[in-house]
Amino acid sequence: MSASEPVIGIDLGTTNSVVATVQDGVPRVIPGRSGQLLTPSVVAFARNGKRLVGALAKRQAITNAEDTVFAAKRLIGRRWGSKEIEDARRVLPYRLVAGPEGHDVRVELGGRTLTVQEISAMVLAELRADAEAWLGQPVSRAVITVPAYFNDGQRHATKDAGRIAGLEVLRIINEPTSAALAYGFGKQIERKVVVFDLGGGTFDVSVLDIGKSVYDVVAVGGDTYLGGEDFDRRVMDWLTFGFAKENGGIDLRQDKMALQRLRDAAERAKCELSSLPSTAIHLPFLVGGGEGKSALHLDRQLSREKLEELTKDLVDRCIAVTERTLRDAGVRPSQVGEVLLVGGMTRMPRVQQAVREFFGREPCRGVHPEEVVALGAAIQAQALSAPHAGAEVLLLDVTPQNLGLMVVGGYFQTVIPRNTTVPTSQTHLFTTVQDNQTSVRIAVLQGASERAIENELLGEFVLDGIRPARRGEVEIEVTFEISADGIVGVSARDVATGLQQSISVTATSGLTEDEMRHILDEQIDELLERKQTAREFEARRDRVLALVREIEALGPEVHDALERTRFGKDAVLKAEGVLARARTAVEARDLAALAAEEEPLERTLQLFKGLAATARPGAR
């Protein structure tokens, strides 16, 4: 790795993802290879087995709903059987299954069972390839952002996705903190800032004290299952129930293609209503005809007022979380110097109005809601990779949820309370609860409930070899550490003997090191296979293009000869069709289509050579 190798910042979003870098001291978003700044966070396997990522995957989602994955960020790091996963299974067109141990979530895609980390890694790899194409050199280091309210398991899983994508993840940072960093970059600002971040699938709110180049997070709050997807679903439900009422109870949710068309239409209508008072939703032939029945169409008018009515409780939830977070920070709305709106959903007028009413001031419009998080990540990446190259940046982030362990009676004992600045380390003394107890099980949890079972189990381990004694006589010292990434490590020590056991917590919903090695080995095999396929494609492409050039060179002579035959026009049309299909296959880099056109091109060339010979002077 070269010292001058660029580093990138990635906002891995639910709906769209963005990659950025710092060039000549200026952070900027890197456009994709097709020119777009936002890359849809969508992965698909086409019917021919080809993997598609981004805009290409999104474009074919309607006709290939079962093999197109979107909103993977809402699944990453979650436990199988959790409330959120059960909800996702009811509404997503692609199939979710339990992992081998029954803990985590897997996705069935293109005849394979993939981890959510692998799906996210495909999006990250696409962004990395875009960055390499734009920068003209390899990229292997990145800062990746996550919602502030992500727990340890979700952070671990995101870091694993980066590793699978071939990236060294320098740091995992919170999205609102990243946005604040981009907002304050290059300015001498000293004020209290609230970041209101409502994206495609998650909601965060953070309170920060910004003092020149120090970004001190005071409190965070959020909901990792609240975002634009939920607003879209309200519109989808309204359309679905209205259609059923008008058409004898037909349930569009049973038709995956119709459901995907509804999802696209709902998202488009929601976006249009940010600038229009009403919009038309027209979906012809939504339900096919047959057996003498005519096809059914959907034609509805949706007003901004109706959208606001359908989503009122979602906006109210955002404000309730904001109010609670400010209370945790000990800050009144009137004490806030600036409110930053981040995430595509903050373009919705009702969301802006709710924020304005709560804070009693106009929110800041000086940041791009969809790009600002990636720009902040790029600034942090630059600061970590070249600390002496520019202005120093100090981020003081916090842990979003209480961290502790399960104690006797099934209760949760907090060791590190939420909103503690990280990195941090805290120690707590516990005693044995039974006579002659020789081992103790340490169950590490994260959450807000006093009951252990209602919190997220991050991991567990056993401290053996404790000296036998009466209960309460043996003291166990448990130390919790949280890194700057927000990732947890725990150790337990018998105070009397010094015997110690420790783990870097890997959530039960995460990948084991063996699974990670297996995935990385598969990646190498796929890379070698892709290189071999690329070489085969290039060789076949060169042969096909040579045939195309020969055929085109014979064109004028053949045209004269064909004009004298009855079948001239048909022959020209057939030849043009073969040439057009060959060019399309070359542009799409479709090896199978290219192979299929090689023989028709050979036949066309032989035909053209024969016709050209008859058209030349002196030919009989």
Side-chain angles (χ1 to χ4, degrees):
M1 182 183 68
S2 163
S4 62
E5 182 188 304
V7 289
I8 55 175
I10 294 176
D11 172 12
L12 181 61
T14 306
T15 308
N16 294 299
S17 295
V18 186
V19 59
T21 192
V22 175
Q23 275 200 326
D24 301 322
V26 179
R28 60 172 298 169
V29 172
I30 295 173
R33 282 157 290 176
S34 54
Q36 83 289 349
L37 295 178
L38 304 181
T39 297
S41 303
V42 184
V43 173
F45 277 84
R47 298 275 187 258
N48 62 3
K50 189 176 180 183
R51 187 174 80 190
L52 305 171
V53 181
L56 285 174
K58 187 175 182 179
R59 275 205 293 270
Q60 54 82 72
I62 289 172
T63 56
N64 186 28
E66 290 186 5
D67 280 330
T68 302
V69 177
F70 57 90
K73 183 174 176 177
R74 300 186 105 184
L75 310 174
I76 198 165
R78 292 195 187 273
R79 292 169 65 86
W80 179 257
S82 67
K83 179 170 66 72
E84 294 84 1
I85 294 302
E86 290 306 306
D87 176 69
R89 289 177 69 195
R90 281 195 301 273
V91 299
L92 292 174
Y94 52 90
R95 188 156 180 258
L96 303 180
V97 295
E101 301 295 319
H103 294 310
D104 66 329
V105 187
R106 305 283 162 111
V107 180
E108 286 195 350
L109 186 65
R112 298 168 61 190
T113 301
L114 299 171
T115 64
V116 182
Q117 290 92 318
E118 288 174 276
I119 301 291
S120 295
M122 291 173 192
V123 177
L124 291 172
E126 183 74 5
L127 296 169
R128 178 190 177 190
D130 285 340
E132 289 180 333
W134 190 76
L135 293 163
Q137 56 183 308
V139 173
S140 63
R141 296 178 296 162
V143 165
I144 302 175
T145 63
V146 295
Y149 220 61
F150 256 21
N151 64 30
D152 181 75
Q154 291 166 307
R155 290 169 190 271
H156 256 298
T158 304
K159 202 164 188 177
D160 285 346
R163 192 172 154 198
I164 294 166
L167 290 166
E168 177 194 345
V169 182
L170 299 174
R171 183 72 54 85
I172 295 285
I173 68 169
N174 292 338
E175 288 163 3
T177 311
S178 186
L181 185 53
Y183 160 75
F185 183 71
K187 303 172 190 168
Q188 294 296 307
I189 292 173
E190 291 194 32
R191 65 182 62 148
K192 202 174 292 294
V193 172
V194 169
V195 180
F196 184 98
D197 183 355
L198 183 59
T202 60
F203 172 62
D204 280 322
V205 60
S206 291
V207 183
L208 300 96
D209 274 326
I210 302 179
K212 296 180 181 174
S213 58
V214 178
Y215 297 77
D216 185 3
V217 181
V218 182
V220 299
D223 187 332
T224 56
Y225 210 76
L226 171 61
E229 290 277 330
D230 303 291
F231 286 74
D232 294 348
R233 201 190 302 173
R234 293 297 170 84
V235 178
M236 287 171 66
D237 289 346
W238 176 72
L239 292 170
T240 302
F241 296 138
F243 188 87
K245 195 174 178 182
E246 292 169 4
N247 295 283
I250 292 175
D251 188 355
L252 294 171
R253 292 171 299 185
Q254 304 307 311
D255 182 337
K256 289 187 176 178
M257 188 181 289
L259 196 62
Q260 191 61 42
R261 288 182 70 189
L262 276 178
R263 182 174 281 108
D264 279 6
E267 183 186 0
R268 190 164 53 250
K270 176 194 71 180
C271 293
E272 287 173 356
L273 289 173
S274 290
S275 56
L276 299 171
S278 69
T279 186
I281 300 171
H282 181 55
L283 296 173
F285 302 98
L286 191 58
V287 176
E291 298 178 4
K293 296 178 183 176
S294 58
L296 299 176
H297 318 295
L298 185 147
D299 214 339
R300 299 292 297 272
Q301 198 77 17
L302 178 62
S303 67
R304 183 186 292 177
E305 188 180 359
K306 184 64 180 177
L307 175 65
E308 290 175 358
E309 179 193 319
L310 293 171
T311 58
K312 181 182 182 301
D313 64 308
L314 300 177
V315 177
D316 290 346
R317 273 169 65 188
C318 293
I319 297 302
V321 170
T322 304
E323 189 174 8
R324 189 166 61 245
T325 306
L326 260 68
R327 195 163 55 243
D328 285 348
V331 173
R332 294 189 304 276
S334 59
Q335 294 175 300
V336 175
E338 197 79 89
V339 182
L340 307 185
L341 295 183
V342 177
M345 273 309 303
T346 61
R347 295 183 188 278
M348 184 176 175
R350 179 67 192 103
V351 172
Q352 294 179 4
Q353 182 189 342
V355 171
R356 190 184 305 117
E357 288 170 356
F358 178 76
F359 286 98
R361 61 177 299 133
E362 281 292 330
C364 169
R365 300 183 188 279
V367 296
H368 191 295
E370 281 124 340
E371 296 175 8
V372 66
V373 171
L375 293 170
I379 293 164
Q380 177 67 352
Q382 183 70 16
L384 290 171
S385 65
H388 306 298
E392 284 188 22
V393 173
L394 179 60
L395 294 187
L396 300 173
D397 224 322
V398 299
T399 180
Q401 299 175 41
N402 296 331
L403 189 68
L405 41 79
M406 183 166 66
V407 294
V408 66
Y411 290 101
F412 175 59
Q413 171 72 55
T414 298
V415 176
I416 299 179
R418 72 176 188 272
N419 294 325
T420 299
T421 300
V422 295
T424 188
S425 172
Q426 292 194 25
T427 299
H428 208 90
L429 276 178
F430 296 89
T431 59
T432 50
V433 294
Q434 293 176 356
D435 291 341
N436 299 316
Q437 187 175 339
T438 58
S439 67
V440 61
R441 184 170 69 92
I442 311 289
V444 183
L445 301 141
Q446 194 169 28
S449 175
E450 290 182 358
R451 296 182 63 214
I453 198 168
E454 292 174 2
N455 294 320
E456 183 77 16
L457 176 66
L458 299 184
E460 52 189 330
F461 64 101
V462 175
L463 178 65
D464 286 314
I466 296 172
R467 64 181 177 84
R470 294 179 64 182
R471 68 177 185 174
E473 287 186 4
V474 177
E475 291 184 323
I476 308 295
E477 184 183 79
V478 180
T479 301
F480 280 71
E481 293 179 348
I482 305 180
S483 71
D485 292 325
I487 291 173
V488 180
V490 183
S491 63
R493 186 174 72 90
D494 182 337
V495 174
T497 64
L499 189 71
Q500 185 163 319
Q501 183 69 263
S502 66
I503 57 165
S504 173
V505 174
T506 301
T508 49
S509 55
L511 293 172
T512 65
E513 196 55 38
D514 284 346
E515 281 184 299
M516 178 62 83
R517 268 197 298 272
H518 177 67
I519 289 168
L520 292 173
D521 287 345
E522 278 188 345
Q523 292 271 322
I524 292 169
D525 291 343
E526 280 184 20
L527 183 63
L528 292 172
E529 193 178 315
R530 281 202 298 274
K531 281 184 177 175
Q532 189 175 340
T533 304
R535 281 196 295 270
E536 188 182 340
F537 170 81
E538 283 162 12
R540 200 175 284 274
R541 178 197 61 194
D542 291 345
R543 289 199 300 273
V544 163
L545 289 177
L547 288 168
V548 168
R549 282 193 295 271
E550 273 195 83
I551 291 167
E552 287 175 338
L554 292 167
E557 291 179 83
V558 169
H559 188 268
D560 292 340
L562 287 174
E563 279 195 335
R564 297 194 292 271
T565 71
R566 288 167 50 207
F567 309 106
K569 192 173 284 186
D570 285 346
V572 169
L573 286 173
K574 279 184 182 176
E576 285 175 351
V578 171
L579 290 170
R581 287 196 300 274
R583 290 192 195 97
T584 301
V586 168
E587 284 173 15
R589 297 187 66 83
D590 190 332
L591 181 60
L594 211 55
E597 294 307 322
E598 198 167 346
E599 192 182 332
L601 283 168
E602 293 272 14
R603 288 200 303 270
T604 302
L605 179 60
Q606 294 310 314
L607 173 67
F608 272 35
K609 280 180 175 177
L611 289 166
T614 63
R616 286 172 192 141
R620 283 187 285 176

